Amino acid sequence: MAVPLSPLEVLGWQVRRRAAQRSVEVTPVTTSILTRRIVDGIPQELSAADSFAGVLDFVHAGESRMALTVVSHPTPEVVAELADAWQLHPLLVEDLVQADQRPKVERYGDVLFVVVRSARYLDVTEEVEFSEFHLLVKSEALVIVCQDGRLVDGTVIGSGVGAEQASLSDGTPLLGNPDLLRLGPEALVYQLLDMIVDGYFPVLEGLQTDKEQIERQVFSGDAAAAERIYRLSEEVIDLLHATTALSKVLRRLQLGAKKYQLPADLLTYLHDLDDHLGHVTGETGELRDALSQILNVNATLVAQRQNEDMKKISGWAAILFAPTLIAAVYGMNFDVMPELHWPIGYPVAVGAMVAFAVLLYLVFKWKKWM
């Protein structure tokens, strides 16, 4: 008789099965799990040995305690360990495993789940690269799951040393304000969102620079301008979707701050952050409209150039029509025709052809068709 599996074993099996279904040939990466304990707003030494359950025990053992854990390249085994220690809902576990989530805010019991995306602009390829982060808050603990193995600024997390230097060391915006840290793990969520929103502004600057280059390219008559406009418009639309979704996240967090009685200072910070994000969203929308207008101008200029080409083609066709008509008349095989045996007929016919051609050319030149 088969022994029934426990809920945790079933969850682990589901996680491994979904991961197997999504598996592709990629370079193996090492999962990094780093924890920074914080006491009364002061970050303690970095640890790579803390378990998820041990972190919860630490924050529950005394007052003014908090912990930040950063997980890069999460594996199904790591997600299953986190799910077991934090008693995560199966739907939440599914989101952690599958990733590729749009920015959102959800609550599963006592766990706050936030999905956000940072952005950075790659000027060489003229692309906006997004990195996805899953934030889980429970009690006084925050876990940041870096789904793409990158930090907010796009730095690739390699070994634990790299993550320590770039993400959890003292003096970073995330841990450099003890007064803000005393407001709880939600303050860390705010600071991470603030770093993400600040990262949107360089992206906008890069897109604006390329937009100005495209404008010069359009008026110079470069045929490759249309494709570049389309590609840049796709990147702008992706950024607009990310900022719009993040705006909804901030709205939900503001409503939750009132409902769950978070400190008033933190709510003020969220309002300020929402204002900054509003500027980003507005400028991104204006940039999308500007690219649409540039595309229309480019189409108008292309049509105008094609019209000029058609004028020239029509003009030359008319110039060749008069000589062709005279040659066609005198090329008919009739015995009785006016001036057929006229000695100067040939020079007169050729002269008439040239005269008609020159006259039409001068007329078209005067009308600026040629």
Side-chain angles (χ1 to χ4, degrees), residues 243-300:
T243 56
T244 302
L246 187 56
S247 297
K248 297 179 181 178
V249 168
L250 288 179
R251 299 289 194 281
R252 292 285 304 277
L253 289 176
Q254 291 172 12
L255 293 175
K258 298 177 181 178
K259 180 178 179 181
Y260 294 95
Q261 300 179 348
L262 295 183
D265 291 343
L266 185 57
L267 185 58
T268 302
Y269 286 129
L270 287 176
H271 285 308
D272 181 67
L273 181 59
D274 189 30
D275 182 63
H276 292 171
L277 184 59
H279 287 295
V280 175
T281 304
E283 291 184 20
T284 306
E286 293 175 0
L287 183 58
R288 182 190 61 176
D289 295 339
L291 287 174
S292 178
Q293 293 176 0
I294 294 174
L295 185 61
N296 291 334
V297 170
N298 182 68
T300 301

Side-chain angles (χ1 to χ4, degrees), residues 140-160:
E140 295 298 314
L142 168 64
V143 173
I144 302 177
V145 180
C146 306
Q147 290 288 355
D148 301 306
R150 295 180 181 274
L151 301 176
V152 172
D153 61 356
T155 303
V156 178
I157 301 176
S159 63

